[in-house]
Amino acid sequence: MENILVIGGGLMGSAAAWKLAARGASVKMLEQQAEHYDRGSSYGTARISRSLGPKKDVFSHVHNQTVKEIAKLISYLNDEGTSEEHSMDDIYSTSPVSYLFHKDDYAEIKKFRFKKQRKDFSKASQHSSFRKFGISIPKDTILVRERRKYSGTLNPQELLRKLHLGIRKKGGQIMYQHQIQRLVKEGDIFEVTVLDLATQKTQVIQAKKVIVAAGAYTVGVLQEYAPYFKRLITPKKVVLSYLKIADERYAQLLEVEKKALRESLPLFSQIGKEFYAMITRDGDGASPIIKAGGHQRRRNIHDLRTVWYDDPQRKELKWIKKQFRKHLKMLEIHVSKKDIEEVDNYTCVYAETRTKRPIVSQIFNQYGVLDPHAVVCGGMSGIGAKGCLAYGALAADLILGTVQKPNKMYRKMTKAFGNPSVNLYTKRPKPGRLF
Ligand SMILES: Cc1cc2nc3c(=O)[nH]c(=O)nc-3n(C[C@H](O)[C@H](O)[C@H](O)COP(=O)(O)OP(=O)(O)OC[C@H]3O[C@@H](n4cnc5c(N)ncnc54)[C@H](O)[C@@H]3O)c2cc1C
């Protein structure tokens, strides 16, 4: 019998499995994909890593915790003497992060304590933005720029690779190409029906405890054991586009313009459909590849199994290109439509929760009884990566029944991401913007 099973080997499952293995627990992680990860919310090489927030902001906290946890992972891997040298720079690319707000959000922006955190955050109005940041922003908007070590982007693909290395080195097991078909509980024991996708053989694995971190598929995995999750998590389709300025045109840009482009990314606009863009591949002097999308451009999904192969709608791609061209205009870089090339695009998924907040919580079973031996870690939509190791560590604490640091921020975190039923059915949290 397995002690702890982790279902799903994306950022959340891998973070939880690593924390459990590092704490000496016997852990087995099951992932339906092969070792090369290419069909989950954690797919890709760039995510915005940022910690802008008011005092005691829980989302800044999870980012900061994740930075600390990744430093521990790196140090462990180096101490273990793996054949390669590991570094924080393999995961993080530090650069300024720019946020565009509407002036109506000024009350929220004021909470960022610019005076006290002058070194880390600064802001500009339409009048001062070009002078301060080299960006001409539209009327009625405010640009906020964050400059902190490890704010910029993080590489999920590399982080997954290092987490899996760490899990195995600590004695944890990872079973790739193993798909969970059914999760039920008989008495005190979970019975998990697993299909080996390579051999097409099915087996039933028993476990005392489970962590479900199946991303958008969490609802399906829990359909028998905790069917109420179908009301909590809704998978949403999002489109990503990889763009670049055509090489010829890029070569004509002045060095200051190239620098302004690099300095302006990642960008996260808090206006409308929330356009974001970040450099995903820096071309060593050549035109960088920029990953872009609309954080709120989300659509419902008919079939979650095939969504990865859906062609993005032309109008979505057009919208992204248009926003990117607008961004270049704000940098006073004027290029024609044909000077922006689309290198790639694909459809991806968010696991959106009703509260728009992540869920890291024990689960109520189908009879409405809270089960301390079952934990869900999911629903991070577009903000999970930057805090993944804090969520994973919390999931590990919950399943082990231990608390690492019960300080004020820890309690705040357990409350914010905690028991969704209590949150949903007793005190409905105010829907709001997440920073
Ligand atoms: C387009 C996009 C942009 C984003 N941008 C940012 C950003 O800028 N900053 C940021 O912080 N976050 C960002 N995020 C969010 C972040 O990437 C996600 O929150 C995070 O990767 C989610 O990880 P996960 O482990 O919950 O899900 P996943 O990575 O989807 O992992 C779930 C895993 O479970 C496996 N699985 C599912 N069902 C089964 C089954 N039955 N049996 C076995 N295995 C199963 C899947 O194959 C998958 O590998 C973005 C996400 C997307 C999609």
Side-chain angles (χ1 to χ4, degrees):
M1 182 180 323
E2 299 305 326
N3 206 354
I4 306 174
L5 268 192
V6 176
I7 299 175
L11 281 176
M12 300 310 148
S14 304
W18 155 247
K19 286 306 292 176
L20 287 167
R23 289 169 66 183
S26 150
V27 59
K28 181 182 270 189
M29 185 168 81
L30 299 160
E31 167 56 54
Q32 64 186 359
Q33 298 183 57
E35 188 160 2
H36 175 70
Y37 180 100
D38 62 1
R39 268 169 295 125
S41 298
S42 310
Y43 172 66
T45 54
R47 293 287 186 277
I48 305 183
S49 137
R50 57 201 172 87
S51 66
L52 179 70
K55 194 178 173 192
K56 306 252 182 278
D57 175 53
V58 75
F59 291 99
S60 307
H61 175 73
V62 294
H63 162 87
N64 298 335
Q65 285 302 110
T66 297
V67 172
K68 286 187 196 154
E69 290 289 348
I70 292 180
K72 283 193 222 163
L73 169 68
I74 300 281
S75 143
Y76 168 73
L77 292 176
N78 283 333
D79 288 351
E80 275 298 289
T82 48
S83 53
E84 51 178 321
E85 190 66 27
H86 299 270
S87 142
M88 289 294 272
D89 296 340
D90 302 339
I91 308 282
Y92 288 105
S93 300
T94 300
S95 63
V97 181
S98 298
Y99 304 78
L100 195 63
F101 289 92
H102 192 270
K103 77 171 184 358
D104 290 352
D105 290 328
Y106 193 66
E108 287 297 312
I109 298 168
K110 258 176 46 186
K111 292 186 195 154
F112 299 153
R113 301 185 304 152
F114 288 95
K115 282 199 183 124
K116 287 207 167 138
Q117 308 193 81
R118 198 168 295 169
K119 222 168 66 355
D120 299 330
F121 307 128
S122 41
K123 67 175 180 334
S125 64
Q126 194 198 13
H127 301 292
S128 58
S129 177
F130 191 74
R131 177 171 40 82
K132 277 186 163 172
F133 303 130
I135 308 186
S136 310
I137 57 173
K139 200 171 153 237
D140 294 339
T141 60
I142 298 167
L143 190 79
V144 175
R145 189 164 272 187
E146 172 181 355
R147 282 179 192 273
R148 279 190 163 174
K149 195 152 191 212
Y150 305 129
S151 285
T153 55
L154 80 89
N155 180 338
Q157 181 179 305
E158 184 56 20
L159 180 53
L160 280 177
R161 194 179 72 82
K162 290 193 196 306
L163 285 167
H164 289 201
L165 203 59
I167 294 166
R168 284 193 291 246
K169 284 218 162 280
K170 283 279 183 189
Q173 274 189 67
I174 306 177
M175 292 169 80
Y176 298 106
Q177 287 193 285
H178 280 72
Q179 186 178 64
I180 279 64
Q181 308 244 296
R182 190 164 186 232
L183 168 73
V184 289
K185 198 166 189 181
E186 294 296 337
D188 284 343
I189 303 298
F190 285 101
E191 293 201 339
V192 185
T193 310
V194 184
L195 171 68
D196 180 335
L197 294 170
T199 62
Q200 290 298 312
K201 289 203 172 116
T202 301
Q203 59 174 313
V204 175
I205 299 181
Q206 293 189 321
K208 283 188 191 147
K209 302 178 180 195
V210 293
I211 293 183
V212 180
Y217 302 85
T218 296
V219 174
V221 171
L222 287 173
Q223 65 182 343
E224 281 183 72
Y225 188 63
Y228 70 103
F229 263 86
K230 67 174 175 282
R231 281 180 285 139
L232 300 185
I233 296 182
T234 311
K236 294 278 178 181
K237 196 161 53 163
V238 286
V239 165
L240 278 175
S241 178
Y242 289 76
L243 302 167
K244 72 173 211 180
I245 300 177
D247 291 331
E248 242 176 55
R249 180 68 187 94
Y250 186 76
Q252 292 167 349
L253 296 185
L254 301 171
E255 283 311 312
V256 280
E257 292 173 324
K258 291 178 186 172
K259 185 165 175 258
L261 174 62
R262 266 159 228 278
E263 289 251 304
S264 72
L265 300 171
L267 165 89
F268 188 18
S269 168
Q270 307 278 314
I271 300 168
K273 294 286 180 193
E274 301 188 353
F275 174 71
Y276 63 82
M278 69 198 84
I279 295 178
T280 187
R281 191 157 12 105
D282 210 338
D284 251 346
S287 187
I289 311 284
I290 288 144
K291 176 182 130 176
H295 183 54
Q296 297 298 342
R297 281 193 83 98
R298 305 172 182 193
R299 285 188 294 124
N300 288 320
I301 300 172
H302 281 299
D303 188 347
L304 199 49
R305 285 166 308 175
T306 56
V307 65
W308 303 100
Y309 310 105
D310 283 4
D311 284 333
Q313 275 189 355
R314 273 177 62 80
K315 75 167 189 200
E316 306 252 5
L317 297 171
K318 247 174 112 177
W319 180 86
I320 298 172
K321 215 173 189 179
K322 191 170 164 195
Q323 301 306 312
F324 180 56
R325 198 153 159 247
K326 265 193 193 166
H327 178 67
L328 292 176
K329 252 190 198 166
M330 292 200 299
L331 298 169
E332 305 297 350
I333 299 176
H334 299 279
V335 297
S336 66
K337 267 189 202 164
K338 70 169 182 17
D339 285 332
I340 298 175
E341 288 177 1
E342 191 182 75
V343 181
D344 197 6
N345 63 53
Y346 71 94
T347 305
C348 195
V349 294
Y350 278 173
E352 182 181 279
T353 63
R354 247 169 88 165
T355 56
K356 305 278 191 286
R357 280 176 180 260
I359 298 170
V360 187
S361 169
Q362 287 154 339
I363 305 174
F364 285 96
N365 66 17
Q366 70 270 49
Y367 308 111
V369 178
L370 194 68
D371 186 343
H373 301 311
V375 165
V376 126
C377 182
M380 279 73 187
S381 68
I383 54 157
K386 72 189 180 96
C388 61
L389 266 138
Y391 301 123
L394 179 55
D397 284 351
L398 290 173
I399 207 78
L400 293 174
T402 54
V403 170
Q404 289 288 290
K405 283 185 195 140
N407 56 23
K408 208 170 166 189
M409 277 320 287
Y410 188 93
R411 284 197 296 275
K412 197 167 176 181
M413 198 169 71
T414 48
K415 199 170 164 206
F417 312 133
N419 197 307
S421 298
V422 174
N423 276 348
L424 275 170
Y425 304 125
T426 56
K427 189 171 150 227
R428 193 172 286 241
K430 270 193 264 160
R433 185 161 278 148
L434 300 179
F435 294 102

